[in-house]
Amino acid sequence: MRSGSYAGFMGSPIEEAALALSRARRVVVLTGAGISAESGLRTFRDTMEGLWKSFDPQKLATPEAFAADPETVTRWYDHRRVGCLAAEPNAGHAALAELERRVTRRSGDAGGGAGGGRFTLLTQNVDRLHQRAGSVNVVELHGSIIEWRCTKTGEKITPGPEAMTEFPPRSPCGALLRPDVVWFGEMLPERAVHAAQEAVGSCEVFLSIGTSAQVYPAAGFIHQAARNGAKTIEVNKDPTPISRMVDWALHGRAGDVLPEVVRLMN
Ligand code: BJW
């Protein structure tokens, strides 16, 4: 972790991180479940509540679990889907939408060539709260729980806000429906991986927020960005495997830290 001055500026870690973001024209943000915790959504590795207390989320989020017990797996996902639809974006989501607006309206380089800066929000979250907060260039690495798809035709549907009544749910053709998310052992959507690789390969600042940094390939992006010379920032309420390698580790709740970072940007 960096200590001392950044570009001749001696400030606190949050001030230095804000300065790095103020200067960057290519910014990549990676978010995980922690950013949605303040919207009332449990993080992936949190204990489960109520009826689901005895289940291990790492075991439910697999194609093997779905094949063995589609009823339990789809009940769990529908319970979470309804929770996501009822949740509201929080101050952390709003700060990232504001960060995107600031970066993208940043003027071109001295040569007068390119237009605004480039901002890419890579999210591991399936809850769609970033889009609802106003973020535009969002790449869903692990899909979305809001959409479900037919296991036979691949056709996507968007179920209504009420809980489903039939488990496991079926598509009009009679085949099983599943959430349009990426389970352990499944490939991430090709377009999402391509967009992520392109953005990570050229970013000047990489900001990791509310993720335990344990699930690959997403967990590898910050290392790749650092190898390419990007400045790295972490926002998390707890230490993680990347806390010691980043330039600035900002400990705290995303909904407190991110608005402050944006406020400190010039
Ligand atoms: C706060 C806060 C607040 C709380 N403010 N902070 C290389 C090495 C080793 C293994 C692999 C590897 N490459 C691939 C693998 C296998 C596997 C993997 O990574 N396994 C690891 C567990 C070791 N990866 C895959 O299988 C991926 N597929 C793949 O790579 O395909 C190619 C391939 C296939 C087969 C073999 C090899 C290669 C697919 C990964 C899909 C992950 N899917 C899930 C479920 C999605 C659907 C659902 O939501 O149910 O995605 S798993 C789960 O983990 C979910 C999350 O998006 C993801 C990450 O979790 P996240 O977001 O970090 O949440 P938490 O709960 O872990 O952490 C929350 C953090 O927030 C904590 O740090 C808190 O402290 C913090 N926090 N409140 C700030 N208010």
Side-chain angles (χ1 to χ4, degrees), residues 228-253:
N228 289 343
K231 298 291 175 211
T232 52
I233 307 167
E234 178 185 48
V235 176
N236 200 302
K237 75 176 180 60
D238 301 310
T240 73
I242 59 168
S243 301
R244 294 170 72 88
M245 62 75 63
V246 294
D247 290 300
W248 299 285
L250 308 178
H251 287 296
R253 295 173 358 142

mmCIF file of all heavy atoms in Angstrom, residues 228-253:
data_model
loop_
_atom_site.group_PDB
_atom_site.id
_atom_site.type_symbol
_atom_site.label_atom_id
_atom_site.label_comp_id
_atom_site.label_asym_id
_atom_site.label_seq_id
_atom_site.Cartn_x
_atom_site.Cartn_y
_atom_site.Cartn_z
ATOM 1 N N ASN A 228 -0.015 -3.336 -15.873
ATOM 2 C CA ASN A 228 0.020 -2.393 -16.999
ATOM 3 C C ASN A 228 0.310 -0.973 -16.541
ATOM 4 O O ASN A 228 0.222 -0.042 -17.327
ATOM 5 C CB ASN A 228 -1.334 -2.380 -17.732
ATOM 6 C CG ASN A 228 -1.568 -3.665 -18.500
ATOM 7 O OD1 ASN A 228 -0.635 -4.413 -18.749
ATOM 8 N ND2 ASN A 228 -2.810 -3.916 -18.855
ATOM 9 N N GLY A 229 0.536 -0.793 -15.240
ATOM 10 C CA GLY A 229 0.909 0.541 -14.755
ATOM 11 C C GLY A 229 -0.237 1.365 -14.190
ATOM 12 O O GLY A 229 -0.049 2.529 -13.843
ATOM 13 N N ALA A 230 -1.433 0.787 -14.102
ATOM 14 C CA ALA A 230 -2.559 1.561 -13.566
ATOM 15 C C ALA A 230 -2.398 1.767 -12.057
ATOM 16 O O ALA A 230 -1.818 0.922 -11.362
ATOM 17 C CB ALA A 230 -3.877 0.830 -13.841
ATOM 18 N N LYS A 231 -2.899 2.887 -11.559
ATOM 19 C CA LYS A 231 -3.007 3.104 -10.114
ATOM 20 C C LYS A 231 -4.199 2.281 -9.629
ATOM 21 O O LYS A 231 -5.222 2.174 -10.334
ATOM 22 C CB LYS A 231 -3.273 4.581 -9.809
ATOM 23 C CG LYS A 231 -2.167 5.493 -10.278
ATOM 24 C CD LYS A 231 -0.929 5.280 -9.456
ATOM 25 C CE LYS A 231 0.232 6.101 -9.983
ATOM 26 N NZ LYS A 231 1.533 5.464 -9.747
ATOM 27 N N THR A 232 -4.078 1.727 -8.420
ATOM 28 C CA THR A 232 -5.148 0.851 -7.942
ATOM 29 C C THR A 232 -5.670 1.334 -6.586
ATOM 30 O O THR A 232 -4.901 1.758 -5.723
ATOM 31 C CB THR A 232 -4.639 -0.604 -7.818
ATOM 32 O OG1 THR A 232 -3.442 -0.596 -7.041
ATOM 33 C CG2 THR A 232 -4.361 -1.215 -9.180
ATOM 34 N N ILE A 233 -6.995 1.235 -6.450
ATOM 35 C CA ILE A 233 -7.677 1.697 -5.234
ATOM 36 C C ILE A 233 -8.644 0.603 -4.810
ATOM 37 O O ILE A 233 -9.326 0.009 -5.657
ATOM 38 C CB ILE A 233 -8.495 2.985 -5.509
ATOM 39 C CG1 ILE A 233 -7.627 4.075 -6.152
ATOM 40 C CG2 ILE A 233 -9.166 3.495 -4.222
ATOM 41 C CD1 ILE A 233 -8.445 5.242 -6.734
ATOM 42 N N GLU A 234 -8.705 0.342 -3.505
ATOM 43 C CA GLU A 234 -9.726 -0.579 -2.995
ATOM 44 C C GLU A 234 -10.611 0.143 -1.983
ATOM 45 O O GLU A 234 -10.112 0.894 -1.138
ATOM 46 C CB GLU A 234 -9.086 -1.795 -2.306
ATOM 47 C CG GLU A 234 -10.154 -2.735 -1.740
ATOM 48 C CD GLU A 234 -9.580 -3.908 -0.945
ATOM 49 O OE1 GLU A 234 -8.714 -3.685 -0.073
ATOM 50 O OE2 GLU A 234 -10.014 -5.043 -1.208
ATOM 51 N N VAL A 235 -11.917 -0.107 -2.056
ATOM 52 C CA VAL A 235 -12.859 0.365 -1.037
ATOM 53 C C VAL A 235 -13.552 -0.867 -0.483
ATOM 54 O O VAL A 235 -14.235 -1.589 -1.227
ATOM 55 C CB VAL A 235 -13.908 1.336 -1.634
ATOM 56 C CG1 VAL A 235 -14.928 1.734 -0.570
ATOM 57 C CG2 VAL A 235 -13.237 2.573 -2.216
ATOM 58 N N ASN A 236 -13.345 -1.144 0.790
ATOM 59 C CA ASN A 236 -13.960 -2.326 1.397
ATOM 60 C C ASN A 236 -14.037 -2.104 2.899
ATOM 61 O O ASN A 236 -13.181 -1.456 3.477
ATOM 62 C CB ASN A 236 -13.134 -3.587 1.091
ATOM 63 C CG ASN A 236 -13.951 -4.855 1.264
ATOM 64 O OD1 ASN A 236 -14.487 -5.130 2.340
ATOM 65 N ND2 ASN A 236 -14.061 -5.633 0.207
ATOM 66 N N LYS A 237 -15.059 -2.669 3.516
ATOM 67 C CA LYS A 237 -15.151 -2.482 4.967
ATOM 68 C C LYS A 237 -14.198 -3.431 5.716
ATOM 69 O O LYS A 237 -13.915 -3.210 6.878
ATOM 70 C CB LYS A 237 -16.600 -2.621 5.457
ATOM 71 C CG LYS A 237 -17.151 -4.003 5.518
ATOM 72 C CD LYS A 237 -18.554 -3.964 6.122
ATOM 73 C CE LYS A 237 -19.163 -5.347 6.216
ATOM 74 N NZ LYS A 237 -18.417 -6.305 7.049
ATOM 75 N N ASP A 238 -13.701 -4.459 5.033
ATOM 76 C CA ASP A 238 -12.779 -5.417 5.656
ATOM 77 C C ASP A 238 -11.536 -5.578 4.776
ATOM 78 O O ASP A 238 -11.608 -5.350 3.571
ATOM 79 C CB ASP A 238 -13.445 -6.799 5.778
ATOM 80 C CG ASP A 238 -14.717 -6.754 6.611
ATOM 81 O OD1 ASP A 238 -14.658 -6.202 7.720
ATOM 82 O OD2 ASP A 238 -15.757 -7.248 6.131
ATOM 83 N N PRO A 239 -10.421 -6.045 5.364
ATOM 84 C CA PRO A 239 -9.248 -6.343 4.526
ATOM 85 C C PRO A 239 -9.528 -7.538 3.603
ATOM 86 O O PRO A 239 -10.301 -8.430 3.962
ATOM 87 C CB PRO A 239 -8.154 -6.696 5.535
ATOM 88 C CG PRO A 239 -8.675 -6.324 6.878
ATOM 89 C CD PRO A 239 -10.166 -6.289 6.796
ATOM 90 N N THR A 240 -8.908 -7.537 2.445
ATOM 91 C CA THR A 240 -9.079 -8.633 1.481
ATOM 92 C C THR A 240 -7.696 -9.037 0.963
ATOM 93 O O THR A 240 -6.699 -8.368 1.269
ATOM 94 C CB THR A 240 -9.930 -8.186 0.269
ATOM 95 O OG1 THR A 240 -9.112 -7.324 -0.538
ATOM 96 C CG2 THR A 240 -11.206 -7.470 0.681
ATOM 97 N N PRO A 241 -7.618 -10.059 0.117
ATOM 98 C CA PRO A 241 -6.307 -10.457 -0.421
ATOM 99 C C PRO A 241 -5.612 -9.347 -1.228
ATOM 100 O O PRO A 241 -4.405 -9.426 -1.441
ATOM 101 C CB PRO A 241 -6.637 -11.657 -1.316
ATOM 102 C CG PRO A 241 -7.950 -12.167 -0.829
ATOM 103 C CD PRO A 241 -8.689 -11.005 -0.243
ATOM 104 N N ILE A 242 -6.358 -8.344 -1.701
ATOM 105 C CA ILE A 242 -5.685 -7.295 -2.498
ATOM 106 C C ILE A 242 -5.342 -6.047 -1.684
ATOM 107 O O ILE A 242 -4.695 -5.142 -2.197
ATOM 108 C CB ILE A 242 -6.524 -6.878 -3.737
ATOM 109 C CG1 ILE A 242 -7.901 -6.335 -3.331
ATOM 110 C CG2 ILE A 242 -6.633 -8.014 -4.719
ATOM 111 C CD1 ILE A 242 -8.647 -5.653 -4.490
ATOM 112 N N SER A 243 -5.749 -6.014 -0.399
ATOM 113 C CA SER A 243 -5.574 -4.768 0.362
ATOM 114 C C SER A 243 -4.109 -4.335 0.440
ATOM 115 O O SER A 243 -3.818 -3.141 0.462
ATOM 116 C CB SER A 243 -6.122 -4.930 1.779
ATOM 117 O OG SER A 243 -7.488 -5.266 1.739
ATOM 118 N N ARG A 244 -3.209 -5.291 0.457
ATOM 119 C CA ARG A 244 -1.800 -4.930 0.608
ATOM 120 C C ARG A 244 -1.115 -4.617 -0.719
ATOM 121 O O ARG A 244 0.002 -4.096 -0.729
ATOM 122 C CB ARG A 244 -1.043 -6.048 1.347
ATOM 123 C CG ARG A 244 -1.522 -6.181 2.782
ATOM 124 C CD ARG A 244 -0.949 -7.427 3.406
ATOM 125 N NE ARG A 244 0.479 -7.278 3.667
ATOM 126 C CZ ARG A 244 0.983 -6.773 4.789
ATOM 127 N NH1 ARG A 244 0.195 -6.393 5.750
ATOM 128 N NH2 ARG A 244 2.279 -6.660 4.950
ATOM 129 N N MET A 245 -1.743 -4.988 -1.840
ATOM 130 C CA MET A 245 -1.078 -4.714 -3.118
ATOM 131 C C MET A 245 -1.552 -3.414 -3.774
ATOM 132 O O MET A 245 -0.891 -2.893 -4.672
ATOM 133 C CB MET A 245 -1.204 -5.886 -4.111
ATOM 134 C CG MET A 245 -2.585 -6.314 -4.587
ATOM 135 S SD MET A 245 -3.478 -5.305 -5.809
ATOM 136 C CE MET A 245 -2.441 -5.386 -7.241
ATOM 137 N N VAL A 246 -2.687 -2.871 -3.308
ATOM 138 C CA VAL A 246 -3.211 -1.679 -3.994
ATOM 139 C C VAL A 246 -2.443 -0.428 -3.580
ATOM 140 O O VAL A 246 -1.794 -0.401 -2.521
ATOM 141 C CB VAL A 246 -4.724 -1.471 -3.728
ATOM 142 C CG1 VAL A 246 -5.547 -2.587 -4.340
ATOM 143 C CG2 VAL A 246 -5.018 -1.334 -2.233
ATOM 144 N N ASP A 247 -2.534 0.600 -4.395
ATOM 145 C CA ASP A 247 -1.885 1.870 -4.045
ATOM 146 C C ASP A 247 -2.592 2.523 -2.859
ATOM 147 O O ASP A 247 -1.938 3.082 -1.994
ATOM 148 C CB ASP A 247 -1.901 2.802 -5.265
ATOM 149 C CG ASP A 247 -0.967 2.300 -6.357
ATOM 150 O OD1 ASP A 247 0.235 2.192 -6.079
ATOM 151 O OD2 ASP A 247 -1.441 1.999 -7.467
ATOM 152 N N TRP A 248 -3.928 2.484 -2.863
ATOM 153 C CA TRP A 248 -4.667 3.085 -1.754
ATOM 154 C C TRP A 248 -5.801 2.145 -1.332
ATOM 155 O O TRP A 248 -6.689 1.835 -2.134
ATOM 156 C CB TRP A 248 -5.269 4.439 -2.160
ATOM 157 C CG TRP A 248 -4.204 5.425 -2.554
ATOM 158 C CD1 TRP A 248 -3.348 6.097 -1.733
ATOM 159 C CD2 TRP A 248 -3.867 5.829 -3.884
ATOM 160 N NE1 TRP A 248 -2.498 6.889 -2.466
ATOM 161 C CE2 TRP A 248 -2.796 6.743 -3.788
ATOM 162 C CE3 TRP A 248 -4.354 5.489 -5.156
ATOM 163 C CZ2 TRP A 248 -2.212 7.330 -4.906
ATOM 164 C CZ3 TRP A 248 -3.780 6.075 -6.262
ATOM 165 C CH2 TRP A 248 -2.719 6.988 -6.128
ATOM 166 N N ALA A 249 -5.747 1.688 -0.082
ATOM 167 C CA ALA A 249 -6.824 0.845 0.467
ATOM 168 C C ALA A 249 -7.669 1.739 1.375
ATOM 169 O O ALA A 249 -7.174 2.232 2.395
ATOM 170 C CB ALA A 249 -6.237 -0.318 1.245
ATOM 171 N N LEU A 250 -8.900 1.966 0.983
ATOM 172 C CA LEU A 250 -9.784 2.857 1.743
ATOM 173 C C LEU A 250 -10.775 1.987 2.505
ATOM 174 O O LEU A 250 -11.660 1.365 1.884
ATOM 175 C CB LEU A 250 -10.513 3.815 0.802
ATOM 176 C CG LEU A 250 -9.609 4.598 -0.168
ATOM 177 C CD1 LEU A 250 -10.453 5.494 -1.083
ATOM 178 C CD2 LEU A 250 -8.566 5.423 0.583
ATOM 179 N N HIS A 251 -10.621 1.913 3.810
ATOM 180 C CA HIS A 251 -11.470 1.014 4.590
ATOM 181 C C HIS A 251 -12.704 1.744 5.079
ATOM 182 O O HIS A 251 -12.628 2.816 5.656
ATOM 183 C CB HIS A 251 -10.689 0.397 5.757
ATOM 184 C CG HIS A 251 -9.714 -0.625 5.265
ATOM 185 N ND1 HIS A 251 -10.132 -1.769 4.641
ATOM 186 C CD2 HIS A 251 -8.372 -0.638 5.246
ATOM 187 C CE1 HIS A 251 -9.067 -2.453 4.261
ATOM 188 N NE2 HIS A 251 -7.993 -1.785 4.613
ATOM 189 N N GLY A 252 -13.854 1.145 4.821
ATOM 190 C CA GLY A 252 -15.109 1.752 5.257
ATOM 191 C C GLY A 252 -16.224 1.244 4.379
ATOM 192 O O GLY A 252 -16.005 0.451 3.446
ATOM 193 N N ARG A 253 -17.421 1.701 4.678
ATOM 194 C CA ARG A 253 -18.573 1.294 3.879
ATOM 195 C C ARG A 253 -18.593 2.074 2.566
ATOM 196 O O ARG A 253 -18.338 3.286 2.547
ATOM 197 C CB ARG A 253 -19.857 1.555 4.667
ATOM 198 C CG ARG A 253 -19.946 0.679 5.910
ATOM 199 C CD ARG A 253 -21.097 1.006 6.831
ATOM 200 N NE ARG A 253 -21.931 2.118 6.467
ATOM 201 C CZ ARG A 253 -23.254 2.149 6.629
ATOM 202 N NH1 ARG A 253 -23.875 1.098 7.131
ATOM 203 N NH2 ARG A 253 -23.948 3.205 6.303
#
